[in-house]
Amino acid sequence: MRDLPPTATLRAFEVATRHATFTSASEELHVTQSAVSHQLKNLEEIWGLQLFQRGKSLSLTPAGAALAPIVREFFLNLETTLADLREQKGRVRLKVSTTYSFALKWLLPRLPGLSQQHPEILVTLETSDKAIHFTSSEPDVAIRFGNGHYPGLHSEFLFREQIFPVASPDLLQRFGAPREPADLLRYPLLTRDGADLVPKWALWFQHVGVGVSALRESVRFADTNMTIEAALLGQGIALARSGHVEAEISDGSLVRLFDVPFPSPVAYYFVCPKGIESQSHIVSFRNWLLAESGKAEQGYR
């Protein structure tokens, strides 16, 4: 990297790209105007490029404009990494990926318990519905919703949810409480659109022995959280997975309809690259996660 100049020179360039004059740039850097001018001239000589058009005000040349965001990103990344390292103070960071709805409804409420048991673990939570390939820039571990088939990866079963209809007390007051599953066919039903992993009304009605030719659908949603929110607003009855409505069932803002066991055909799994599952902080996180999953599944039965 023979063309890499001193950090102070790069800093002078980054600051100058955000100012109209060398004088205002020098004030931010707490050096003289001539020092800034000298550093930038030296940088242009090192790189063999003209970076600024000099006049009454500074303006970047095409070369300067191309390099400015790269240098700016370098300093931002450096500052962020240093801040993270200072914050950790001996703690080990663990990047965890899961779906947004699972993170919001199930994992986040339980994370304070992890901090109490393992204060040495600093979790970075990332959400995505896409497959994780565990490249160097991706999370360390993942919690995935599926059938457990993850070739080439270490995976462990966590828990399986129950699927049941939920409604707001307001909706039940307006429409009356259904006495049997077939009664739901006269209610507005909220439908979660999307993949096969999404709970389907047709399968639930089949499970409880109700023949269905057509559903009285209210609105189709592309997101689980929107479906639950619509149920909270009294817009219809949602078919929910137990892990996504724990708080709402507990505080009475949603009511579970019919105590009919219907296990989800898919479950949650802990997934990570093979070999790292034995690292101490991952063992601690996995054991905590398995314990929480066991308690949750017991409550769903």
Side-chain angles (χ1 to χ4, degrees):
M1 297 294 291
R2 61 177 182 269
D3 291 337
L4 188 62
T7 304
T9 302
L10 281 179
R11 187 61 174 171
F13 171 69
E14 190 278 325
V15 171
T17 64
R18 297 186 279 103
H19 289 270
T21 65
F22 287 149
T23 300
S24 59
S26 69
E27 291 172 355
E28 180 177 333
L29 291 166
H30 303 289
V31 296
T32 64
Q33 182 270 343
S34 61
V36 174
S37 179
H38 176 75
Q39 285 179 316
L40 295 178
K41 190 173 182 179
N42 184 43
L43 181 60
E44 289 177 324
E45 291 175 354
I46 293 173
W47 283 344
L49 297 168
Q50 183 179 351
L51 303 174
F52 291 93
Q53 296 285 357
R54 292 161 174 82
K56 290 184 177 180
S57 63
L58 286 176
S59 62
L60 289 167
T61 64
L67 289 164
I70 297 172
V71 175
R72 188 171 298 121
E73 184 177 5
F74 163 75
F75 282 107
L76 286 173
N77 288 339
L78 181 62
E79 290 169 1
T80 300
T81 302
L82 286 171
D84 284 347
L85 291 172
R86 292 182 183 120
E87 179 188 359
Q88 289 180 38
K89 295 180 180 176
R91 302 171 73 188
V92 58
R93 184 177 293 278
L94 180 65
K95 293 170 68 176
V96 180
S97 170
T98 189
T99 61
Y100 178 76
S101 58
F102 179 80
L104 181 67
K105 294 293 188 177
W106 195 93
L107 187 57
L108 274 178
R110 291 172 166 83
L111 281 180
L114 174 66
S115 297
Q116 290 177 358
Q117 290 185 35
H118 298 286
E120 76 280 6
I121 299 176
L122 183 60
V123 169
T124 299
L125 190 57
E126 301 180 6
T127 60
S128 174
D129 290 331
K130 297 180 180 179
I132 301 297
H133 300 289
F134 296 106
T135 62
S136 59
S137 61
E138 288 189 322
D140 304 305
V141 302
I143 302 167
R144 279 292 171 262
F145 187 56
N147 56 19
H149 183 60
Y150 302 102
L153 298 174
H154 172 85
S155 68
E156 291 182 55
F157 173 85
L158 292 176
F159 68 94
R160 190 179 304 275
E161 295 167 298
Q162 294 288 328
I163 297 173
F164 47 78
V166 293
S168 71
D170 174 66
L171 181 136
L172 296 177
Q173 186 174 13
R174 287 187 284 118
F175 284 82
R179 295 183 178 181
E180 56 186 37
D183 291 343
L184 293 185
L185 295 175
R186 62 181 177 84
Y187 288 75
L189 301 179
L190 303 171
T191 306
R192 166 75 163 88
D193 210 354
D196 294 337
L197 302 183
V198 173
K200 304 294 185 186
W201 276 111
L203 290 178
W204 186 84
F205 278 118
Q206 181 182 0
H207 179 75
V208 297
V210 176
V212 178
S213 56
L215 296 176
R216 185 188 171 191
E217 292 186 71
S218 174
V219 181
R220 286 197 173 201
F221 298 93
D223 177 78
T224 298
N225 297 313
M226 285 194 293
T227 311
I228 301 303
E229 185 64 26
L232 287 166
L233 294 171
Q235 295 179 6
I237 295 178
L239 192 60
R241 296 197 298 266
S242 48
H244 289 71
V245 290
E246 289 179 346
E248 291 80 1
I249 297 293
S250 178
D251 65 23
S253 56
L254 286 177
V255 177
R256 175 177 179 172
L257 305 178
F258 310 113
D259 191 14
V260 178
F262 183 35
S264 170
V266 285
Y268 290 94
Y269 293 83
F270 172 86
V271 183
C272 69
K274 286 183 177 179
I276 74 166
E277 72 274 9
S278 59
Q279 294 180 11
S280 60
H281 64 296
I282 293 179
V283 170
S284 296
F285 176 73
R286 189 180 75 241
N287 288 344
W288 171 83
L289 193 59
L290 287 168
E292 291 297 318
S293 297
K295 288 187 287 186
E297 191 167 41
Q298 285 293 327
Y300 300 154
R301 292 175 180 172

